[in-house]
Amino acid sequence: MSLLEVRDLRTHFFTRAGVVKAVEGVSFSLAKGEILGLVGESGSGKSVTGFSLIGLVDPPGRIAGGSIRFEGRELVGLPAQEMRALRGKRIAMVFQDPAATLNPVLSIGQQMALAVRAHGRASEAAARDLAARTLTRVGIPDAAARLDAYPHEFSGGMRQRVAIATALLHGPDLIIADEPTTALDVSIQAQILAEMKSLAKETGTALVWISHDLATVSSLADRVLVMYAGRIVEAGAVGETLRAPRHPYTRGLLDSLPAMARPGEKLNQIPGTTPSLLSLPPGCPFAPRCPRADATCATDPPDVVTAGRLVRCHHPLEAS
Amino acid sequence: MLGFIIQRLLQAGLVMLAMSALVFLGVYAIGNPIDVLISPDATQDIRAAAIRSFGLDLPLWQQYLAFLGRLLSGDFGRSFVFGTPVIDLVLARLPATLELALASVLIGAFIGIPLGIYAGYKPESPAARGIMAVSVLGFSVPTFWVGLILILFFAVHLDWLPAGNRGPTAEFLGVQWSFLTREGLTFLILPALNLSLFKLAMMIRLARAGTREVMLTDTVKFARAAGLSELTILRRHVLRLISIPLVTVFGLEFGSTLAFAVVTETIFSWPGVGKLIIDSITSLDRPVMVAYLVLVAFLFVTINLVVDLSYALLDPRLRRGGRAS
Amino acid sequence: MKAFWREYRENWIAVIALAVVVLVVLAALLAPWITPQDPYDLASLDLMDARRPPGFVGSNGYVHWLGTDAQGRDLLSAIIHGLRISLQMGIAAGLVAMTIGATLGILSAHAGGWVEAAIMRVVDLQLSFPAILLALVLVAVLGQGKSQLIIALVAAQYAYFARTAYGAATAERQKDYVEAAHAPPLPSWRVVLRHILPNCLPPLIVVGTVQVANAIALEATLSFLGLGLPPTEPSLGMLIANGFQYMMSGRTWISVYPGIALILLIVAINIVGDQIRDQFNPRLRR
């Protein structure tokens, strides 16, 4: 049985201006210990998908339909108390900017102790001990002594390690990481990526890695989901999908990557911008920006599944 | 840190100097200083002698220096009405005002902050709207009118609480306090409630604004993602994050509470310095006015200083000299 | 303007508040013609009519709908005249304070340097000092009377306007178009008049509305304490003070009705001010 089964997830924001369908019909599954890369531009619904999984969609947004099964248990519509008991214990989350996630006026030890005690009683000493051990695991030297330090006394990379340690405290089965390296220096990024990968493999924790950066995902993930305008447009094993993308959007994303371009060649940006989710025309949402679009794209594109890969397109690129 | 303290002390000294100059100009220079120093009933000879002995024939700046010197030695002259040294008069009444002000600030904080946090946590709920309506009323309705209504309702109509005066007191640390006796406490409730209303409104508003802002931050999201209960998040994360502006206002408001006590003390015949100043204004007892103003300015400056220093306790970024990014 | 009103109309409480304000202003303007009795004409008062409850029919045939006060004045007439005085004081003080405060604020934002530092230092110092105390001291020093009271109110309030205008003007100063306007040799005062002042007006209007209410409340408080206007010009605060001594004996109407009129006016102005502020503040919009 897979760890996580998401079926037709729809998360909508009911604003004054209208209903924003941030996530519209997303389905995927995740095995134990698997690393899934969730890729898309900002506004593609990848972060909202992540927040939906952990039940933290801010109003006026809410899950409007679909199902999220975690170890067979339905999370959509789960009472708030039961959802809270899962959060931090079985499903944890790491955010983008560690400077914003840690509380500046509480010491690291205090904050981690709160997270320890959120799931059961623990003595002051036991909570600090667990916190210190977890900090050591994520590569913070002299952890016990640094428990009384405040976030501003840590560097950006160290802060993110503290956040990751907080997520790891209870040994969760699933960690949702929402662009956790974007705010960091490039050299630190690589370190944290490597550590996250080895921690996940070591403990058998599944990872949903949300990122706009294909390069990061290609070095980390087992599988990749590409999202556009709240939908999955392409999914598959990371190597194949990024080597030979079948959706024109994935192709466009790859072509705009500096690392993928040949020297001397011009970078190809995808023309146009992401559409407003308030007034999405029927049919393929990518059609207005797509080089391969024609009249048929005004109708909903089919899911084409071949050899474990999914592409949602009327005119997919040929598998090479 | 030490530099910070020294800087604040210097600032406080400067403010005191400015205030004393204002008081001096206001009461001594604009008004007729003779009225301040000598009873109007004195004979012409005594007046002339007094003008010389107080140095009123000297240039203004010399007079100001002399005035400062007297202030520093605690000599505020004698009250025309009571004939006793003003400093004794004011100090004897100060505990009553301090007790009233303290009680009302505490009421404001202990009721206002939780209400404000709730209103900021669930801003759309009917309860939050009710809380905000109370806060708008607390801000706009004059204190004296609320005091009147409190008396009308609790003292006249229901006859539950006394309508005025201080009632019995008990001694503690050589000072008389109302809250130490059960009956004294009943005398304290209405005036303290009256005086706290403005503070209550302000605490609600500040706590609400702070909470609304903090609730949207990633800090709260991260705490939720770690599985913390909403109550723990509010108590441990939000309260600490909003406490810095609250403490500032809490302190500053204590100063203005002393000033607003003038109104409440008049309505409830509370024998504090506020009542004293109103009486002294109507009876033109100017030495008392001067003493009161200097005293309030002094308390004000001291409180500001304490507030500034307590920042450092609340914000670790300030405490350790900060590498804040 | 039309759109502003359409948005305003959405909040029915604010609409009622606005209606109350308009009604009170009209009543105050027309006071001499609509009140059944001239409360200052001592000849028309009869002590026989003093302290009568609401609905009492007086010796000269009036029905005293809200009762009479200790001098036998018709309370309704006294209240309407009191509102007139309270409004006069509040608006006069508010306007003068706004003019002085806005001038100081814009001047210091525009001049910069030591002018800015000096003015704003004084303003900040004053803002941290309780307004009522300042007003008390000034009234005590200057004596009683309308103009003295206005001076005291202005002194207690101008700093709010100065802060507001300063904030708005510095924000404007940093925007590019003021710099662009500086580039051609336009006289400095024209930049202020054309670009800075119009952008300071919305926040000043909001602060102004609330400060008029505050001035009315402060004036009432001072009058209640016996330090406001002389007894020949009874504002609402004095009416309330006069009735205070009779409250214990159950003749509550003498204080309560003027008080209700005062509260109604102050709260209504505040609600109108809050609504305008919310509409000016784009951050609160969704």
Side-chain angles (χ1 to χ4, degrees), chain A residues 126-151:
Chain A
R128 283 177 69 92
D129 186 51
L130 179 58
R133 272 187 288 129
T134 321
L135 285 174
T136 311
R137 271 175 67 202
V138 297
I140 292 186
D142 199 12
R146 305 218 65 183
L147 281 179
D148 293 318
Y150 288 87

PDB file of all heavy atoms in Angstrom, chain A residues 126-151:
ATOM      1  N   ALA A 126      14.040  15.972  29.118  1.00  0.00           N
ATOM      2  CA  ALA A 126      13.847  15.022  28.021  1.00  0.00           C
ATOM      3  C   ALA A 126      13.629  15.765  26.708  1.00  0.00           C
ATOM      4  O   ALA A 126      14.165  15.386  25.660  1.00  0.00           O
ATOM      5  CB  ALA A 126      12.654  14.115  28.321  1.00  0.00           C
ATOM      6  N   ALA A 127      12.845  16.846  26.765  1.00  0.00           N
ATOM      7  CA  ALA A 127      12.566  17.623  25.551  1.00  0.00           C
ATOM      8  C   ALA A 127      13.848  18.232  25.006  1.00  0.00           C
ATOM      9  O   ALA A 127      14.117  18.178  23.809  1.00  0.00           O
ATOM     10  CB  ALA A 127      11.534  18.713  25.847  1.00  0.00           C
ATOM     11  N   ARG A 128      14.661  18.782  25.915  1.00  0.00           N
ATOM     12  CA  ARG A 128      15.913  19.398  25.476  1.00  0.00           C
ATOM     13  C   ARG A 128      16.858  18.342  24.909  1.00  0.00           C
ATOM     14  O   ARG A 128      17.557  18.574  23.928  1.00  0.00           O
ATOM     15  CB  ARG A 128      16.586  20.114  26.646  1.00  0.00           C
ATOM     16  CG  ARG A 128      15.948  21.435  26.993  1.00  0.00           C
ATOM     17  CD  ARG A 128      16.639  22.044  28.208  1.00  0.00           C
ATOM     18  NE  ARG A 128      17.999  22.470  27.914  1.00  0.00           N
ATOM     19  CZ  ARG A 128      18.322  23.693  27.511  1.00  0.00           C
ATOM     20  NH1 ARG A 128      17.378  24.603  27.368  1.00  0.00           N
ATOM     21  NH2 ARG A 128      19.564  24.022  27.275  1.00  0.00           N
ATOM     22  N   ASP A 129      16.838  17.175  25.532  1.00  0.00           N
ATOM     23  CA  ASP A 129      17.731  16.112  25.086  1.00  0.00           C
ATOM     24  C   ASP A 129      17.369  15.670  23.669  1.00  0.00           C
ATOM     25  O   ASP A 129      18.228  15.545  22.800  1.00  0.00           O
ATOM     26  CB  ASP A 129      17.624  14.932  26.066  1.00  0.00           C
ATOM     27  CG  ASP A 129      18.640  13.865  25.743  1.00  0.00           C
ATOM     28  OD1 ASP A 129      19.828  14.230  25.602  1.00  0.00           O
ATOM     29  OD2 ASP A 129      18.250  12.688  25.609  1.00  0.00           O
ATOM     30  N   LEU A 130      16.053  15.478  23.437  1.00  0.00           N
ATOM     31  CA  LEU A 130      15.603  15.078  22.107  1.00  0.00           C
ATOM     32  C   LEU A 130      15.962  16.157  21.087  1.00  0.00           C
ATOM     33  O   LEU A 130      16.441  15.861  19.982  1.00  0.00           O
ATOM     34  CB  LEU A 130      14.084  14.833  22.121  1.00  0.00           C
ATOM     35  CG  LEU A 130      13.467  14.419  20.787  1.00  0.00           C
ATOM     36  CD1 LEU A 130      14.110  13.161  20.251  1.00  0.00           C
ATOM     37  CD2 LEU A 130      11.955  14.215  20.926  1.00  0.00           C
ATOM     38  N   ALA A 131      15.738  17.421  21.473  1.00  0.00           N
ATOM     39  CA  ALA A 131      16.040  18.534  20.569  1.00  0.00           C
ATOM     40  C   ALA A 131      17.520  18.532  20.212  1.00  0.00           C
ATOM     41  O   ALA A 131      17.892  18.624  19.040  1.00  0.00           O
ATOM     42  CB  ALA A 131      15.640  19.850  21.211  1.00  0.00           C
ATOM     43  N   ALA A 132      18.369  18.361  21.227  1.00  0.00           N
ATOM     44  CA  ALA A 132      19.810  18.404  20.987  1.00  0.00           C
ATOM     45  C   ALA A 132      20.244  17.259  20.086  1.00  0.00           C
ATOM     46  O   ALA A 132      21.038  17.431  19.159  1.00  0.00           O
ATOM     47  CB  ALA A 132      20.561  18.345  22.317  1.00  0.00           C
ATOM     48  N   ARG A 133      19.694  16.063  20.325  1.00  0.00           N
ATOM     49  CA  ARG A 133      20.075  14.918  19.504  1.00  0.00           C
ATOM     50  C   ARG A 133      19.650  15.131  18.055  1.00  0.00           C
ATOM     51  O   ARG A 133      20.398  14.810  17.127  1.00  0.00           O
ATOM     52  CB  ARG A 133      19.453  13.639  20.068  1.00  0.00           C
ATOM     53  CG  ARG A 133      20.341  12.981  21.141  1.00  0.00           C
ATOM     54  CD  ARG A 133      19.784  11.642  21.563  1.00  0.00           C
ATOM     55  NE  ARG A 133      18.583  11.803  22.378  1.00  0.00           N
ATOM     56  CZ  ARG A 133      17.435  11.169  22.133  1.00  0.00           C
ATOM     57  NH1 ARG A 133      17.325  10.362  21.095  1.00  0.00           N
ATOM     58  NH2 ARG A 133      16.406  11.362  22.921  1.00  0.00           N
ATOM     59  N   THR A 134      18.449  15.670  17.873  1.00  0.00           N
ATOM     60  CA  THR A 134      17.981  15.886  16.503  1.00  0.00           C
ATOM     61  C   THR A 134      18.804  16.954  15.798  1.00  0.00           C
ATOM     62  O   THR A 134      19.106  16.833  14.609  1.00  0.00           O
ATOM     63  CB  THR A 134      16.492  16.277  16.507  1.00  0.00           C
ATOM     64  OG1 THR A 134      15.815  15.521  17.500  1.00  0.00           O
ATOM     65  CG2 THR A 134      15.855  16.001  15.163  1.00  0.00           C
ATOM     66  N   LEU A 135      19.175  17.987  16.542  1.00  0.00           N
ATOM     67  CA  LEU A 135      20.013  19.031  15.945  1.00  0.00           C
ATOM     68  C   LEU A 135      21.354  18.453  15.503  1.00  0.00           C
ATOM     69  O   LEU A 135      21.886  18.811  14.450  1.00  0.00           O
ATOM     70  CB  LEU A 135      20.234  20.176  16.939  1.00  0.00           C
ATOM     71  CG  LEU A 135      19.050  21.126  17.171  1.00  0.00           C
ATOM     72  CD1 LEU A 135      19.374  22.116  18.279  1.00  0.00           C
ATOM     73  CD2 LEU A 135      18.702  21.871  15.895  1.00  0.00           C
ATOM     74  N   THR A 136      21.898  17.564  16.301  1.00  0.00           N
ATOM     75  CA  THR A 136      23.163  16.937  15.927  1.00  0.00           C
ATOM     76  C   THR A 136      23.002  16.145  14.630  1.00  0.00           C
ATOM     77  O   THR A 136      23.878  16.159  13.768  1.00  0.00           O
ATOM     78  CB  THR A 136      23.634  15.997  17.057  1.00  0.00           C
ATOM     79  OG1 THR A 136      23.568  16.708  18.281  1.00  0.00           O
ATOM     80  CG2 THR A 136      25.048  15.503  16.808  1.00  0.00           C
ATOM     81  N   ARG A 137      21.857  15.471  14.504  1.00  0.00           N
ATOM     82  CA  ARG A 137      21.619  14.664  13.298  1.00  0.00           C
ATOM     83  C   ARG A 137      21.619  15.508  12.031  1.00  0.00           C
ATOM     84  O   ARG A 137      22.011  15.055  10.967  1.00  0.00           O
ATOM     85  CB  ARG A 137      20.269  13.948  13.404  1.00  0.00           C
ATOM     86  CG  ARG A 137      20.373  12.591  14.078  1.00  0.00           C
ATOM     87  CD  ARG A 137      19.001  11.992  14.272  1.00  0.00           C
ATOM     88  NE  ARG A 137      18.336  11.633  13.033  1.00  0.00           N
ATOM     89  CZ  ARG A 137      17.017  11.508  12.925  1.00  0.00           C
ATOM     90  NH1 ARG A 137      16.243  11.753  13.955  1.00  0.00           N
ATOM     91  NH2 ARG A 137      16.488  11.155  11.766  1.00  0.00           N
ATOM     92  N   VAL A 138      21.122  16.756  12.125  1.00  0.00           N
ATOM     93  CA  VAL A 138      21.092  17.584  10.921  1.00  0.00           C
ATOM     94  C   VAL A 138      22.388  18.376  10.762  1.00  0.00           C
ATOM     95  O   VAL A 138      22.469  19.275   9.934  1.00  0.00           O
ATOM     96  CB  VAL A 138      19.901  18.554  10.904  1.00  0.00           C
ATOM     97  CG1 VAL A 138      18.592  17.795  10.891  1.00  0.00           C
ATOM     98  CG2 VAL A 138      19.966  19.505  12.074  1.00  0.00           C
ATOM     99  N   GLY A 139      23.390  18.059  11.571  1.00  0.00           N
ATOM    100  CA  GLY A 139      24.702  18.643  11.342  1.00  0.00           C
ATOM    101  C   GLY A 139      24.947  19.955  12.044  1.00  0.00           C
ATOM    102  O   GLY A 139      25.665  20.803  11.537  1.00  0.00           O
ATOM    103  N   ILE A 140      24.344  20.131  13.216  1.00  0.00           N
ATOM    104  CA  ILE A 140      24.658  21.328  13.990  1.00  0.00           C
ATOM    105  C   ILE A 140      25.635  20.938  15.088  1.00  0.00           C
ATOM    106  O   ILE A 140      25.303  20.129  15.953  1.00  0.00           O
ATOM    107  CB  ILE A 140      23.385  21.975  14.572  1.00  0.00           C
ATOM    108  CG1 ILE A 140      22.554  22.546  13.425  1.00  0.00           C
ATOM    109  CG2 ILE A 140      23.734  23.062  15.582  1.00  0.00           C
ATOM    110  CD1 ILE A 140      21.362  23.337  13.844  1.00  0.00           C
ATOM    111  N   PRO A 141      26.845  21.477  15.045  1.00  0.00           N
ATOM    112  CA  PRO A 141      27.842  21.094  16.042  1.00  0.00           C
ATOM    113  C   PRO A 141      27.517  21.680  17.414  1.00  0.00           C
ATOM    114  O   PRO A 141      26.888  22.750  17.488  1.00  0.00           O
ATOM    115  CB  PRO A 141      29.134  21.696  15.478  1.00  0.00           C
ATOM    116  CG  PRO A 141      28.688  22.824  14.611  1.00  0.00           C
ATOM    117  CD  PRO A 141      27.337  22.463  14.082  1.00  0.00           C
ATOM    118  N   ASP A 142      27.901  20.964  18.460  1.00  0.00           N
ATOM    119  CA  ASP A 142      27.748  21.466  19.822  1.00  0.00           C
ATOM    120  C   ASP A 142      26.299  21.840  20.116  1.00  0.00           C
ATOM    121  O   ASP A 142      26.001  22.890  20.669  1.00  0.00           O
ATOM    122  CB  ASP A 142      28.661  22.688  20.010  1.00  0.00           C
ATOM    123  CG  ASP A 142      28.909  22.959  21.486  1.00  0.00           C
ATOM    124  OD1 ASP A 142      28.570  22.066  22.302  1.00  0.00           O
ATOM    125  OD2 ASP A 142      29.400  24.040  21.801  1.00  0.00           O
ATOM    126  N   ALA A 143      25.373  20.964  19.699  1.00  0.00           N
ATOM    127  CA  ALA A 143      23.948  21.295  19.714  1.00  0.00           C
ATOM    128  C   ALA A 143      23.423  21.618  21.113  1.00  0.00           C
ATOM    129  O   ALA A 143      22.683  22.589  21.287  1.00  0.00           O
ATOM    130  CB  ALA A 143      23.148  20.147  19.111  1.00  0.00           C
ATOM    131  N   ALA A 144      23.821  20.851  22.108  1.00  0.00           N
ATOM    132  CA  ALA A 144      23.268  21.052  23.448  1.00  0.00           C
ATOM    133  C   ALA A 144      23.545  22.458  23.945  1.00  0.00           C
ATOM    134  O   ALA A 144      22.694  23.091  24.583  1.00  0.00           O
ATOM    135  CB  ALA A 144      23.857  20.023  24.410  1.00  0.00           C
ATOM    136  N   ALA A 145      24.719  22.983  23.610  1.00  0.00           N
ATOM    137  CA  ALA A 145      25.077  24.317  24.081  1.00  0.00           C
ATOM    138  C   ALA A 145      24.312  25.406  23.306  1.00  0.00           C
ATOM    139  O   ALA A 145      24.086  26.493  23.821  1.00  0.00           O
ATOM    140  CB  ALA A 145      26.576  24.542  23.939  1.00  0.00           C
ATOM    141  N   ARG A 146      23.918  25.078  22.074  1.00  0.00           N
ATOM    142  CA  ARG A 146      23.285  26.108  21.251  1.00  0.00           C
ATOM    143  C   ARG A 146      21.769  26.181  21.433  1.00  0.00           C
ATOM    144  O   ARG A 146      21.110  27.005  20.820  1.00  0.00           O
ATOM    145  CB  ARG A 146      23.615  25.850  19.779  1.00  0.00           C
ATOM    146  CG  ARG A 146      25.120  25.773  19.544  1.00  0.00           C
ATOM    147  CD  ARG A 146      25.510  26.408  18.262  1.00  0.00           C
ATOM    148  NE  ARG A 146      25.258  27.839  18.255  1.00  0.00           N
ATOM    149  CZ  ARG A 146      25.467  28.614  17.203  1.00  0.00           C
ATOM    150  NH1 ARG A 146      25.880  28.102  16.090  1.00  0.00           N
ATOM    151  NH2 ARG A 146      25.222  29.914  17.276  1.00  0.00           N
ATOM    152  N   LEU A 147      21.226  25.316  22.282  1.00  0.00           N
ATOM    153  CA  LEU A 147      19.782  25.320  22.499  1.00  0.00           C
ATOM    154  C   LEU A 147      19.299  26.658  23.041  1.00  0.00           C
ATOM    155  O   LEU A 147      18.177  27.082  22.785  1.00  0.00           O
ATOM    156  CB  LEU A 147      19.380  24.216  23.475  1.00  0.00           C
ATOM    157  CG  LEU A 147      19.300  22.807  22.891  1.00  0.00           C
ATOM    158  CD1 LEU A 147      18.923  21.827  23.990  1.00  0.00           C
ATOM    159  CD2 LEU A 147      18.278  22.743  21.773  1.00  0.00           C
ATOM    160  N   ASP A 148      20.150  27.329  23.818  1.00  0.00           N
ATOM    161  CA  ASP A 148      19.715  28.581  24.423  1.00  0.00           C
ATOM    162  C   ASP A 148      19.972  29.787  23.531  1.00  0.00           C
ATOM    163  O   ASP A 148      19.717  30.916  23.926  1.00  0.00           O
ATOM    164  CB  ASP A 148      20.416  28.779  25.772  1.00  0.00           C
ATOM    165  CG  ASP A 148      19.955  27.739  26.774  1.00  0.00           C
ATOM    166  OD1 ASP A 148      18.739  27.460  26.804  1.00  0.00           O
ATOM    167  OD2 ASP A 148      20.810  27.164  27.490  1.00  0.00           O
ATOM    168  N   ALA A 149      20.471  29.533  22.329  1.00  0.00           N
ATOM    169  CA  ALA A 149      20.690  30.641  21.405  1.00  0.00           C
ATOM    170  C   ALA A 149      19.377  31.005  20.715  1.00  0.00           C
ATOM    171  O   ALA A 149      18.440  30.207  20.668  1.00  0.00           O
ATOM    172  CB  ALA A 149      21.743  30.252  20.384  1.00  0.00           C
ATOM    173  N   TYR A 150      19.342  32.227  20.202  1.00  0.00           N
ATOM    174  CA  TYR A 150      18.142  32.703  19.498  1.00  0.00           C
ATOM    175  C   TYR A 150      18.389  32.630  17.995  1.00  0.00           C
ATOM    176  O   TYR A 150      19.539  32.653  17.548  1.00  0.00           O
ATOM    177  CB  TYR A 150      17.829  34.136  19.929  1.00  0.00           C
ATOM    178  CG  TYR A 150      17.296  34.182  21.333  1.00  0.00           C
ATOM    179  CD1 TYR A 150      18.152  34.265  22.425  1.00  0.00           C
ATOM    180  CD2 TYR A 150      15.926  34.107  21.566  1.00  0.00           C
ATOM    181  CE1 TYR A 150      17.666  34.278  23.727  1.00  0.00           C
ATOM    182  CE2 TYR A 150      15.424  34.115  22.848  1.00  0.00           C
ATOM    183  CZ  TYR A 150      16.295  34.198  23.925  1.00  0.00           C
ATOM    184  OH  TYR A 150      15.799  34.202  25.199  1.00  0.00           O
ATOM    185  N   PRO A 151      17.301  32.574  17.215  1.00  0.00           N
ATOM    186  CA  PRO A 151      17.466  32.404  15.764  1.00  0.00           C
ATOM    187  C   PRO A 151      18.424  33.403  15.133  1.00  0.00           C
ATOM    188  O   PRO A 151      19.184  33.037  14.229  1.00  0.00           O
ATOM    189  CB  PRO A 151      16.046  32.612  15.238  1.00  0.00           C
ATOM    190  CG  PRO A 151      15.172  32.160  16.345  1.00  0.00           C
ATOM    191  CD  PRO A 151      15.900  32.519  17.613  1.00  0.00           C
TER     192      PRO A 151
END
